[in-house]
Amino acid sequence: MPGLIPAAVFCDSTPQELTEEQEKLKREIYEKMNPRRRKFVDRLGYENWDPFQKPNDPLDIRMDVSKRTAQQLINEFLREAAKKGPYSNEYGKGALECALGAVKRDEKYLGIFDFCLWYHDLLKKEGHIE
């Protein structure tokens, strides 16, 4: 079973639109930086650099509609999966990735979820599964 979920997964990395005032302050901060730090920002790309990053969401706030965290969802799921027999690390990693995507309401994982439901119904309709 996977360990705890790293906090970096809960970062809100969506780019934020800066106001004119924030853009001016960003330029001032950049101009006052020491050369070593400025080199880091240049490597990252000035336009990608965000000196006003949003804080990470606390772990207990990131819950799905069932009021479970990704960690709780994955623990429940893998407990049920273990009853059916052993599973691989890749299986657990895939499930964890989906749980994180579902809790964060990531469009990629909503697409995966919708496809899986559709595919299950298709297989059922064609008599491949009961």
Side-chain angles (χ1 to χ4, degrees):
M1 203 175 337
L4 293 176
I5 299 168
V9 172
F10 293 94
C11 292
D12 184 359
S13 60
T14 55
Q16 59 179 331
E17 295 292 321
L18 299 179
T19 65
E20 198 173 306
E21 186 178 301
Q22 287 175 318
E23 195 60 54
K24 185 178 173 185
L25 183 57
K26 178 180 176 177
R27 176 56 61 187
E28 287 176 22
I29 292 170
Y30 179 77
E31 296 296 330
K32 291 179 182 179
M33 282 181 172
N34 67 42
R36 183 179 174 140
R37 180 72 178 149
R38 193 182 293 186
K39 187 177 177 182
F40 168 78
V41 172
D42 291 340
R43 198 173 37 215
L44 180 66
Y46 177 82
E47 61 283 343
N48 297 326
W49 172 60
D50 185 4
F52 313 110
Q53 279 185 324
K54 299 177 227 168
N56 294 348
D57 283 342
L59 298 180
D60 58 338
I61 290 181
R62 288 287 182 140
M63 294 186 176
D64 72 338
V65 294
S66 70
K67 302 290 185 226
R68 290 179 179 87
T69 64
Q71 189 71 50
Q72 290 169 325
L73 286 170
I74 198 64
N75 287 342
E76 284 183 45
F77 175 77
L78 292 178
R79 254 193 315 274
E80 291 295 319
K83 290 178 184 175
K84 297 176 186 172
Y87 56 84
S88 69
N89 282 342
E90 288 302 308
Y91 181 89
K93 285 179 190 176
L96 175 59
E97 192 175 326
C98 286
L100 290 168
V103 169
K104 291 186 339 184
R105 293 175 181 82
D106 186 321
E107 286 290 317
K108 174 183 173 183
Y109 296 99
L110 293 175
I112 291 170
F113 178 76
D114 288 342
F115 175 81
C116 290
L117 291 176
W118 173 84
Y119 187 61
H120 181 264
D121 291 344
L122 176 72
L123 293 178
K124 210 174 189 182
K125 185 171 72 177
E126 293 180 353
H128 300 289
I129 59 174
E130 290 184 23

PDB file of all heavy atoms in Angstrom, residues 8 14 24-25 35 47-48 51 59 64 66 69 77 82-83 85 88 95 98 103-104 108 111 122-123 126 130:
ATOM      1  N   ALA A   8       3.574  18.274  -1.678  1.00  0.00           N
ATOM      2  CA  ALA A   8       3.737  18.975  -2.953  1.00  0.00           C
ATOM      3  C   ALA A   8       2.574  18.699  -3.906  1.00  0.00           C
ATOM      4  O   ALA A   8       2.268  19.499  -4.782  1.00  0.00           O
ATOM      5  CB  ALA A   8       5.051  18.573  -3.603  1.00  0.00           C
ATOM      6  N   THR A  14      -2.087  26.612 -10.480  1.00  0.00           N
ATOM      7  CA  THR A  14      -2.739  27.351 -11.546  1.00  0.00           C
ATOM      8  C   THR A  14      -2.145  28.750 -11.630  1.00  0.00           C
ATOM      9  O   THR A  14      -1.979  29.426 -10.611  1.00  0.00           O
ATOM     10  CB  THR A  14      -4.259  27.470 -11.296  1.00  0.00           C
ATOM     11  OG1 THR A  14      -4.472  28.041 -10.005  1.00  0.00           O
ATOM     12  CG2 THR A  14      -4.932  26.125 -11.368  1.00  0.00           C
ATOM     13  N   LYS A  24       4.072  45.449 -11.456  1.00  0.00           N
ATOM     14  CA  LYS A  24       5.095  46.470 -11.159  1.00  0.00           C
ATOM     15  C   LYS A  24       5.948  46.016  -9.969  1.00  0.00           C
ATOM     16  O   LYS A  24       7.180  46.109  -9.993  1.00  0.00           O
ATOM     17  CB  LYS A  24       4.409  47.798 -10.850  1.00  0.00           C
ATOM     18  CG  LYS A  24       5.353  48.951 -10.643  1.00  0.00           C
ATOM     19  CD  LYS A  24       4.580  50.238 -10.383  1.00  0.00           C
ATOM     20  CE  LYS A  24       5.541  51.343 -10.005  1.00  0.00           C
ATOM     21  NZ  LYS A  24       4.859  52.563  -9.626  1.00  0.00           N
ATOM     22  N   LEU A  25       5.285  45.489  -8.932  1.00  0.00           N
ATOM     23  CA  LEU A  25       5.996  45.009  -7.747  1.00  0.00           C
ATOM     24  C   LEU A  25       6.875  43.807  -8.101  1.00  0.00           C
ATOM     25  O   LEU A  25       8.009  43.691  -7.620  1.00  0.00           O
ATOM     26  CB  LEU A  25       4.994  44.631  -6.647  1.00  0.00           C
ATOM     27  CG  LEU A  25       5.573  44.170  -5.310  1.00  0.00           C
ATOM     28  CD1 LEU A  25       6.498  45.233  -4.716  1.00  0.00           C
ATOM     29  CD2 LEU A  25       4.448  43.855  -4.349  1.00  0.00           C
ATOM     30  N   PRO A  35      22.338  38.562  -8.021  1.00  0.00           N
ATOM     31  CA  PRO A  35      22.528  37.890  -9.314  1.00  0.00           C
ATOM     32  C   PRO A  35      22.284  36.383  -9.286  1.00  0.00           C
ATOM     33  O   PRO A  35      21.750  35.822 -10.245  1.00  0.00           O
ATOM     34  CB  PRO A  35      23.988  38.188  -9.666  1.00  0.00           C
ATOM     35  CG  PRO A  35      24.324  39.419  -8.895  1.00  0.00           C
ATOM     36  CD  PRO A  35      23.485  39.373  -7.652  1.00  0.00           C
ATOM     37  N   GLU A  47       8.363  35.140 -16.953  1.00  0.00           N
ATOM     38  CA  GLU A  47       6.892  35.089 -17.051  1.00  0.00           C
ATOM     39  C   GLU A  47       6.298  33.934 -16.254  1.00  0.00           C
ATOM     40  O   GLU A  47       5.163  34.004 -15.821  1.00  0.00           O
ATOM     41  CB  GLU A  47       6.438  35.026 -18.517  1.00  0.00           C
ATOM     42  CG  GLU A  47       6.910  33.816 -19.291  1.00  0.00           C
ATOM     43  CD  GLU A  47       8.377  33.878 -19.739  1.00  0.00           C
ATOM     44  OE1 GLU A  47       8.976  34.960 -19.751  1.00  0.00           O
ATOM     45  OE2 GLU A  47       8.920  32.817 -20.036  1.00  0.00           O
ATOM     46  N   ASN A  48       7.090  32.869 -16.022  1.00  0.00           N
ATOM     47  CA  ASN A  48       6.605  31.721 -15.240  1.00  0.00           C
ATOM     48  C   ASN A  48       6.833  31.893 -13.741  1.00  0.00           C
ATOM     49  O   ASN A  48       6.261  31.158 -12.941  1.00  0.00           O
ATOM     50  CB  ASN A  48       7.298  30.432 -15.695  1.00  0.00           C
ATOM     51  CG  ASN A  48       6.988  30.099 -17.125  1.00  0.00           C
ATOM     52  OD1 ASN A  48       5.891  30.364 -17.607  1.00  0.00           O
ATOM     53  ND2 ASN A  48       7.946  29.545 -17.825  1.00  0.00           N
ATOM     54  N   PRO A  51       6.234  35.468  -7.704  1.00  0.00           N
ATOM     55  CA  PRO A  51       6.653  35.806  -6.344  1.00  0.00           C
ATOM     56  C   PRO A  51       5.482  35.886  -5.366  1.00  0.00           C
ATOM     57  O   PRO A  51       5.673  36.033  -4.169  1.00  0.00           O
ATOM     58  CB  PRO A  51       7.321  37.180  -6.510  1.00  0.00           C
ATOM     59  CG  PRO A  51       6.667  37.780  -7.696  1.00  0.00           C
ATOM     60  CD  PRO A  51       6.322  36.616  -8.600  1.00  0.00           C
ATOM     61  N   LEU A  59      -4.235  19.788   4.098  1.00  0.00           N
ATOM     62  CA  LEU A  59      -4.625  18.457   3.670  1.00  0.00           C
ATOM     63  C   LEU A  59      -6.070  18.126   4.024  1.00  0.00           C
ATOM     64  O   LEU A  59      -6.772  17.485   3.261  1.00  0.00           O
ATOM     65  CB  LEU A  59      -3.700  17.406   4.290  1.00  0.00           C
ATOM     66  CG  LEU A  59      -2.234  17.497   3.906  1.00  0.00           C
ATOM     67  CD1 LEU A  59      -1.460  16.394   4.614  1.00  0.00           C
ATOM     68  CD2 LEU A  59      -2.044  17.397   2.421  1.00  0.00           C
ATOM     69  N   ASP A  64     -13.270  15.228  -1.409  1.00  0.00           N
ATOM     70  CA  ASP A  64     -14.192  15.062  -2.522  1.00  0.00           C
ATOM     71  C   ASP A  64     -15.616  15.271  -2.021  1.00  0.00           C
ATOM     72  O   ASP A  64     -15.825  15.670  -0.875  1.00  0.00           O
ATOM     73  CB  ASP A  64     -14.001  13.685  -3.165  1.00  0.00           C
ATOM     74  CG  ASP A  64     -14.526  12.552  -2.316  1.00  0.00           C
ATOM     75  OD1 ASP A  64     -14.653  12.727  -1.095  1.00  0.00           O
ATOM     76  OD2 ASP A  64     -14.814  11.480  -2.880  1.00  0.00           O
ATOM     77  N   SER A  66     -17.744  13.151  -1.176  1.00  0.00           N
ATOM     78  CA  SER A  66     -18.106  12.227  -0.100  1.00  0.00           C
ATOM     79  C   SER A  66     -17.431  12.597   1.230  1.00  0.00           C
ATOM     80  O   SER A  66     -17.503  11.845   2.186  1.00  0.00           O
ATOM     81  CB  SER A  66     -17.734  10.788  -0.476  1.00  0.00           C
ATOM     82  OG  SER A  66     -16.325  10.621  -0.481  1.00  0.00           O
ATOM     83  N   THR A  69     -10.672  12.542   2.062  1.00  0.00           N
ATOM     84  CA  THR A  69      -9.437  13.019   1.444  1.00  0.00           C
ATOM     85  C   THR A  69      -8.971  11.969   0.441  1.00  0.00           C
ATOM     86  O   THR A  69      -9.450  10.833   0.444  1.00  0.00           O
ATOM     87  CB  THR A  69      -8.326  13.232   2.491  1.00  0.00           C
ATOM     88  OG1 THR A  69      -8.005  11.966   3.074  1.00  0.00           O
ATOM     89  CG2 THR A  69      -8.738  14.230   3.566  1.00  0.00           C
ATOM     90  N   PHE A  77     -10.059   2.072  -1.093  1.00  0.00           N
ATOM     91  CA  PHE A  77     -10.031   1.360  -2.366  1.00  0.00           C
ATOM     92  C   PHE A  77      -9.040   0.197  -2.343  1.00  0.00           C
ATOM     93  O   PHE A  77      -9.361  -0.917  -2.749  1.00  0.00           O
ATOM     94  CB  PHE A  77      -9.675   2.322  -3.508  1.00  0.00           C
ATOM     95  CG  PHE A  77      -9.516   1.621  -4.817  1.00  0.00           C
ATOM     96  CD1 PHE A  77     -10.625   1.212  -5.538  1.00  0.00           C
ATOM     97  CD2 PHE A  77      -8.259   1.343  -5.329  1.00  0.00           C
ATOM     98  CE1 PHE A  77     -10.491   0.535  -6.742  1.00  0.00           C
ATOM     99  CE2 PHE A  77      -8.106   0.675  -6.525  1.00  0.00           C
ATOM    100  CZ  PHE A  77      -9.223   0.273  -7.239  1.00  0.00           C
ATOM    101  N   ALA A  82      -7.349  -5.468  -2.182  1.00  0.00           N
ATOM    102  CA  ALA A  82      -6.548  -6.536  -1.577  1.00  0.00           C
ATOM    103  C   ALA A  82      -7.400  -7.762  -1.277  1.00  0.00           C
ATOM    104  O   ALA A  82      -6.890  -8.884  -1.267  1.00  0.00           O
ATOM    105  CB  ALA A  82      -5.873  -6.027  -0.306  1.00  0.00           C
ATOM    106  N   LYS A  83      -8.700  -7.575  -1.062  1.00  0.00           N
ATOM    107  CA  LYS A  83      -9.595  -8.710  -0.801  1.00  0.00           C
ATOM    108  C   LYS A  83      -9.722  -9.598  -2.036  1.00  0.00           C
ATOM    109  O   LYS A  83      -9.945 -10.791  -1.918  1.00  0.00           O
ATOM    110  CB  LYS A  83     -10.986  -8.213  -0.388  1.00  0.00           C
ATOM    111  CG  LYS A  83     -11.021  -7.573   0.981  1.00  0.00           C
ATOM    112  CD  LYS A  83     -12.413  -7.057   1.298  1.00  0.00           C
ATOM    113  CE  LYS A  83     -12.437  -6.319   2.627  1.00  0.00           C
ATOM    114  NZ  LYS A  83     -13.767  -5.715   2.874  1.00  0.00           N
ATOM    115  N   GLY A  85      -7.309 -10.091  -4.145  1.00  0.00           N
ATOM    116  CA  GLY A  85      -6.016 -10.701  -4.425  1.00  0.00           C
ATOM    117  C   GLY A  85      -4.931  -9.632  -4.452  1.00  0.00           C
ATOM    118  O   GLY A  85      -5.208  -8.446  -4.337  1.00  0.00           O
ATOM    119  N   SER A  88      -0.302  -4.975  -8.001  1.00  0.00           N
ATOM    120  CA  SER A  88       1.059  -4.481  -8.235  1.00  0.00           C
ATOM    121  C   SER A  88       1.210  -3.046  -7.747  1.00  0.00           C
ATOM    122  O   SER A  88       0.218  -2.341  -7.492  1.00  0.00           O
ATOM    123  CB  SER A  88       1.387  -4.540  -9.732  1.00  0.00           C
ATOM    124  OG  SER A  88       0.613  -3.578 -10.428  1.00  0.00           O
ATOM    125  N   ALA A  95      -4.142   4.039  -9.090  1.00  0.00           N
ATOM    126  CA  ALA A  95      -5.304   4.345  -8.251  1.00  0.00           C
ATOM    127  C   ALA A  95      -5.069   5.622  -7.453  1.00  0.00           C
ATOM    128  O   ALA A  95      -5.961   6.465  -7.330  1.00  0.00           O
ATOM    129  CB  ALA A  95      -5.590   3.181  -7.311  1.00  0.00           C
ATOM    130  N   CYS A  98      -5.425   8.655  -9.685  1.00  0.00           N
ATOM    131  CA  CYS A  98      -6.837   8.936  -9.944  1.00  0.00           C
ATOM    132  C   CYS A  98      -7.537   9.542  -8.734  1.00  0.00           C
ATOM    133  O   CYS A  98      -8.357  10.444  -8.873  1.00  0.00           O
ATOM    134  CB  CYS A  98      -7.556   7.669 -10.397  1.00  0.00           C
ATOM    135  SG  CYS A  98      -7.159   7.203 -12.077  1.00  0.00           S
ATOM    136  N   VAL A 103     -10.097  14.226  -6.273  1.00  0.00           N
ATOM    137  CA  VAL A 103     -10.250  15.170  -5.165  1.00  0.00           C
ATOM    138  C   VAL A 103      -9.970  16.595  -5.632  1.00  0.00           C
ATOM    139  O   VAL A 103     -10.645  17.539  -5.226  1.00  0.00           O
ATOM    140  CB  VAL A 103      -9.334  14.772  -3.982  1.00  0.00           C
ATOM    141  CG1 VAL A 103      -9.278  15.866  -2.939  1.00  0.00           C
ATOM    142  CG2 VAL A 103      -9.830  13.485  -3.361  1.00  0.00           C
ATOM    143  N   LYS A 104      -8.992  16.755  -6.523  1.00  0.00           N
ATOM    144  CA  LYS A 104      -8.654  18.089  -7.032  1.00  0.00           C
ATOM    145  C   LYS A 104      -9.581  18.529  -8.166  1.00  0.00           C
ATOM    146  O   LYS A 104      -9.480  19.636  -8.657  1.00  0.00           O
ATOM    147  CB  LYS A 104      -7.203  18.122  -7.514  1.00  0.00           C
ATOM    148  CG  LYS A 104      -6.221  18.006  -6.379  1.00  0.00           C
ATOM    149  CD  LYS A 104      -4.762  18.168  -6.714  1.00  0.00           C
ATOM    150  CE  LYS A 104      -4.284  17.975  -8.069  1.00  0.00           C
ATOM    151  NZ  LYS A 104      -2.823  18.072  -8.223  1.00  0.00           N
ATOM    152  N   LYS A 108      -8.466  16.224 -16.453  1.00  0.00           N
ATOM    153  CA  LYS A 108      -7.898  14.996 -17.027  1.00  0.00           C
ATOM    154  C   LYS A 108      -8.531  13.765 -16.384  1.00  0.00           C
ATOM    155  O   LYS A 108      -8.938  12.828 -17.071  1.00  0.00           O
ATOM    156  CB  LYS A 108      -6.386  14.981 -16.805  1.00  0.00           C
ATOM    157  CG  LYS A 108      -5.715  13.700 -17.228  1.00  0.00           C
ATOM    158  CD  LYS A 108      -4.228  13.749 -16.901  1.00  0.00           C
ATOM    159  CE  LYS A 108      -3.562  12.407 -17.158  1.00  0.00           C
ATOM    160  NZ  LYS A 108      -2.149  12.412 -16.792  1.00  0.00           N
ATOM    161  N   GLY A 111     -12.198  13.209 -17.192  1.00  0.00           N
ATOM    162  CA  GLY A 111     -12.302  12.548 -18.493  1.00  0.00           C
ATOM    163  C   GLY A 111     -12.046  11.059 -18.384  1.00  0.00           C
ATOM    164  O   GLY A 111     -12.755  10.243 -18.989  1.00  0.00           O
ATOM    165  N   LEU A 122     -20.422  -0.154 -21.983  1.00  0.00           N
ATOM    166  CA  LEU A 122     -20.291  -0.760 -23.301  1.00  0.00           C
ATOM    167  C   LEU A 122     -20.019  -2.265 -23.192  1.00  0.00           C
ATOM    168  O   LEU A 122     -20.658  -3.074 -23.855  1.00  0.00           O
ATOM    169  CB  LEU A 122     -19.159  -0.081 -24.086  1.00  0.00           C
ATOM    170  CG  LEU A 122     -18.835  -0.675 -25.456  1.00  0.00           C
ATOM    171  CD1 LEU A 122     -19.951  -0.342 -26.441  1.00  0.00           C
ATOM    172  CD2 LEU A 122     -17.502  -0.174 -25.947  1.00  0.00           C
ATOM    173  N   LEU A 123     -19.066  -2.627 -22.319  1.00  0.00           N
ATOM    174  CA  LEU A 123     -18.745  -4.047 -22.133  1.00  0.00           C
ATOM    175  C   LEU A 123     -19.935  -4.816 -21.583  1.00  0.00           C
ATOM    176  O   LEU A 123     -20.187  -5.964 -21.966  1.00  0.00           O
ATOM    177  CB  LEU A 123     -17.532  -4.197 -21.212  1.00  0.00           C
ATOM    178  CG  LEU A 123     -16.201  -3.695 -21.770  1.00  0.00           C
ATOM    179  CD1 LEU A 123     -15.095  -3.857 -20.723  1.00  0.00           C
ATOM    180  CD2 LEU A 123     -15.828  -4.393 -23.065  1.00  0.00           C
ATOM    181  N   GLU A 126     -22.564  -5.331 -24.372  1.00  0.00           N
ATOM    182  CA  GLU A 126     -22.145  -6.322 -25.360  1.00  0.00           C
ATOM    183  C   GLU A 126     -21.985  -7.719 -24.755  1.00  0.00           C
ATOM    184  O   GLU A 126     -21.633  -8.657 -25.450  1.00  0.00           O
ATOM    185  CB  GLU A 126     -20.848  -5.895 -26.041  1.00  0.00           C
ATOM    186  CG  GLU A 126     -21.038  -4.668 -26.900  1.00  0.00           C
ATOM    187  CD  GLU A 126     -19.760  -4.226 -27.598  1.00  0.00           C
ATOM    188  OE1 GLU A 126     -18.674  -4.792 -27.329  1.00  0.00           O
ATOM    189  OE2 GLU A 126     -19.848  -3.296 -28.414  1.00  0.00           O
ATOM    190  N   GLU A 130     -20.672  -9.177 -16.607  1.00  0.00           N
ATOM    191  CA  GLU A 130     -22.038  -9.231 -16.057  1.00  0.00           C
ATOM    192  C   GLU A 130     -22.338  -8.007 -15.246  1.00  0.00           C
ATOM    193  O   GLU A 130     -21.561  -7.447 -14.574  1.00  0.00           O
ATOM    194  CB  GLU A 130     -22.174 -10.483 -15.180  1.00  0.00           C
ATOM    195  CG  GLU A 130     -22.168 -11.739 -16.002  1.00  0.00           C
ATOM    196  CD  GLU A 130     -22.393 -12.966 -15.130  1.00  0.00           C
ATOM    197  OE1 GLU A 130     -22.955 -12.841 -14.039  1.00  0.00           O
ATOM    198  OE2 GLU A 130     -21.994 -14.048 -15.580  1.00  0.00           O
TER     199      GLU A 130
END
